[in-house]
Amino acid sequence: ENPSVRLMGIRALARVGRKDYGRAVDEFGKSFQGLGDPDIENREAAIHTLAGFAPQNEERALTLLCTGLMDAEACIRNAACESLIFLAERGNKVVCKAMRAHMKCWRGEVRRDATKAMGQLGKKGGELSIKALCEQLEDSDSVVRIVAVESLRRLTNRADPLVMSELLRRLSHKEREVRLAVMYALKRFCNKEGDPALALKILRHIEDEVPEERRAAAELLALASPKAGAEGSRPALRAFMALLGDPLPPDLMEDEEQENSDDEPAPAPEEPGEPVEEPPKPPPDEDWQVRRLAVAGLSEVARCGDPDVIVAVTDRLEDDSWEVRRAVAAATPKICPAFGFPDGATMRITCHPHPMVPYSDGKKFDCDDECEQCTRKEEGVGVRWSCRECMYDLCRGCINFYRSDRVGLAGVLQRLNHPLEDVRFAA
């Protein structure tokens, strides 16, 4: 009945185990002896003693140590996990089977430790271990879900096809917490070079009514989309612009390609007329963290010199949140070329907002007929970037590829005289 005497017996069994291993292991599994002792210190000593004389990968010892992961005390579970790591090699069938069973325990702390142990003891790339950890993403305990993601990282590499298929299958789960856990995992497993298919699946989560899901989707979309205007980045670009309250107009080039895909002749260009009133812009996202992530996402997916993106980002210099303004200050140099590139002598600096809707008032073009990207002959006078006050009139190709530096600089300069000190400081 004395715990100290039982502790002496546990330690003495270590010497017995070296001579009669089978009998010593049987004694450890009995009630009030070894792992069944009611005293916490005795149970911890029993685990360390058993790990000290048991041979590597011995089935009975591993089975007894696995029962330690079901203990109510955290110190006993940690000791059992450390002993299993010492005795068992990765992918041991006895250990993995016990871990999968413990991961379904009704007690949350047991599920957490079993999930963590699976990442340390499971076979790298093992299908059963990976699927069991992916199932833990649906656990009701948020800590279990986070531990499952970290354990998956120990067992697999980035962009592993099995993990990606399991995660994508749960991206449409009915429970919001599960979807957030899946997005958290996808951020650590998606391809760094961009995955256009994954980006398309994320788009519908950008419009969710709950800010937490929009934040997770925006952060994942920036990682999954191709970078710097590469092919496949356009859907993410449109989504981020909409979050900032500056949705992109229909892509004229794409519309023309679709309309002229048949053998029918191309329609004649429309005659220039009066400018059409723009519909009112939708408001930006109400959550400042979503707006900050949208600005950061545009700096990754947009090509340098896109005038629509430059205007949308510099407009956020007047945002209510200083975090968003700080993100704009970091993103603007990435998306806007330095002023004067490639020919600063012909630039005109202005301090007023520039209208971004092309109009035609009969003036001639100021762009160079010899520039490689000039579109004046293909698109005519109806599609151009013009400003009456600055007296310039450029085709879309020139402003997109050669003159977008003046758009970014004008967007910053006009806010140097803003009545709010915070906006002036950001500018």
Side-chain angles (χ1 to χ4, degrees):
E1 296 178 359
N2 192 321
S4 300
V5 177
R6 293 201 303 273
L7 180 59
M8 294 173 60
I10 289 171
R11 291 174 175 170
L13 272 175
R15 303 183 65 180
V16 176
R18 296 186 181 95
K19 300 178 181 178
D20 192 350
Y21 172 76
R23 186 174 180 184
V25 171
D26 292 340
E27 292 296 327
F28 267 100
K30 290 182 179 180
S31 179
F32 292 98
Q33 296 182 32
L35 299 180
D37 196 285
D39 188 77
I40 298 175
E41 295 182 2
N42 286 4
R43 294 202 301 276
E44 187 173 7
I47 288 174
H48 291 306
T49 301
L50 179 59
F53 71 82
Q56 292 285 325
N57 295 310
E58 204 281 321
E59 185 172 336
R60 285 181 295 176
L62 296 180
T63 303
L64 283 175
L65 290 174
C66 287
T67 61
L69 291 173
M70 296 286 289
D71 199 278
E73 300 296 331
C75 62
I76 306 300
R77 297 194 299 271
N78 292 335
C81 185
E82 293 173 0
S83 299
L84 285 169
I85 294 173
F86 175 73
L87 288 181
E89 62 181 9
R90 274 190 173 274
N92 185 282
K93 293 182 179 180
V94 175
V95 176
C96 290
K97 183 178 179 180
M99 293 302 104
R100 290 195 295 271
H102 296 343
M103 286 160 69
K104 301 299 179 184
C105 181
W106 63 273
R107 285 168 33 204
E109 59 271 17
V110 174
R111 298 198 303 274
R112 296 173 197 171
D113 289 337
T115 304
K116 181 180 179 180
M118 179 63 84
Q120 297 170 322
L121 295 166
K123 182 181 179 181
K124 287 195 173 184
E127 183 176 352
L128 292 178
S129 300
I130 291 175
K131 287 186 175 181
L133 289 173
C134 288
E135 289 176 1
Q136 293 300 93
L137 295 174
E138 303 179 20
D139 196 276
S140 58
D141 190 332
S142 60
V143 179
V144 174
R145 295 194 294 267
I146 295 174
V147 172
V149 174
E150 300 304 321
S151 295
L152 279 170
R153 292 185 65 185
R154 294 190 182 99
L155 296 185
T156 60
N157 299 320
R158 184 175 284 273
D160 184 273
L162 177 59
V163 177
M164 292 299 293
S165 63
E166 290 289 327
L167 293 177
L168 290 176
R169 189 164 60 86
R170 292 172 171 83
L171 190 58
S172 302
H173 198 276
K174 62 181 180 179
E175 297 292 337
R176 187 180 309 280
E177 296 298 328
V178 176
R179 296 198 299 271
L180 292 175
V182 170
M183 291 185 198
Y184 175 74
L186 284 170
K187 285 189 294 185
R188 284 149 180 77
F189 287 100
C190 69
N191 194 342
K192 288 184 178 180
E193 307 301 326
D195 188 347
L198 173 60
L200 291 176
K201 292 179 181 294
I202 295 298
L203 287 178
R204 70 184 186 89
H205 299 277
I206 287 285
E207 302 175 358
D208 194 86
E209 59 183 7
V210 178
E212 287 80 2
E213 186 156 349
R214 295 201 302 274
R215 294 172 203 159
E219 190 173 0
L220 177 57
L221 185 61
L223 291 173
S225 298
K227 306 298 185 288
E231 184 179 357
S233 63
R234 195 70 176 173
L237 189 68
R238 288 185 176 276
F240 288 136
M241 292 284 284
L243 290 176
L244 295 182
D246 266 314
L248 283 177
D251 197 323
L252 297 177
M253 298 300 290
E254 290 182 2
D255 293 344
E256 289 178 4
E257 290 177 1
Q258 293 176 1
E259 293 175 3
N260 300 333
S261 58
D262 301 332
D263 296 334
E264 299 178 1
E270 296 181 3
E271 292 294 330
E274 293 295 327
V276 181
E277 286 190 15
E278 291 185 49
K281 291 183 178 181
D285 196 279
E286 60 184 11
D287 186 72
W288 68 266
Q289 295 187 56
V290 176
R291 298 196 301 273
R292 178 178 60 82
L293 289 168
V295 170
L298 284 173
S299 68
E300 296 292 334
V301 303
R303 67 172 178 83
C304 182
D306 190 323
D308 292 304
V309 177
I310 293 172
V311 172
V313 171
T314 53
D315 281 348
R316 288 296 100 201
L317 284 171
E318 302 180 14
D319 198 275
D320 297 335
S321 170
W322 71 273
E323 288 279 2
V324 178
R325 296 194 296 270
R326 188 169 67 172
V328 172
T332 303
K334 296 181 181 179
I335 61 176
C336 183
F339 179 74
F341 175 83
D343 182 10
T346 60
M347 299 299 168
R348 298 182 180 91
I349 305 176
T350 59
C351 297
H352 65 87
H354 282 237
M356 287 296 105
V357 178
Y359 68 88
S360 174
D361 58 359
K363 295 197 308 180
K364 67 178 182 179
F365 282 92
D366 292 339
C367 56
D368 187 357
D369 292 339
E370 299 179 358
C371 77
E372 297 178 359
Q373 304 292 344
C374 187
T375 58
R376 60 175 293 188
K377 294 181 180 179
E378 291 80 5
E379 297 185 343
V381 296
V383 183
R384 27 186 222 173
W385 296 79
S386 307
C387 180
R388 288 188 176 94
E389 297 183 30
C390 299
M391 296 185 298
Y392 72 82
D393 195 13
L394 301 173
C395 72
R396 182 169 63 169
C398 286
I399 196 70
N400 279 347
F401 292 93
Y402 294 108
R403 297 295 182 260
S404 56
D405 56 347
R406 79 168 68 188
V407 178
L409 188 60
V412 174
L413 286 177
Q414 64 171 305
R415 290 171 175 88
L416 290 177
N417 297 321
H418 198 276
L420 294 179
E421 182 182 359
D422 291 341
V423 177
R424 296 197 302 271
F425 179 77

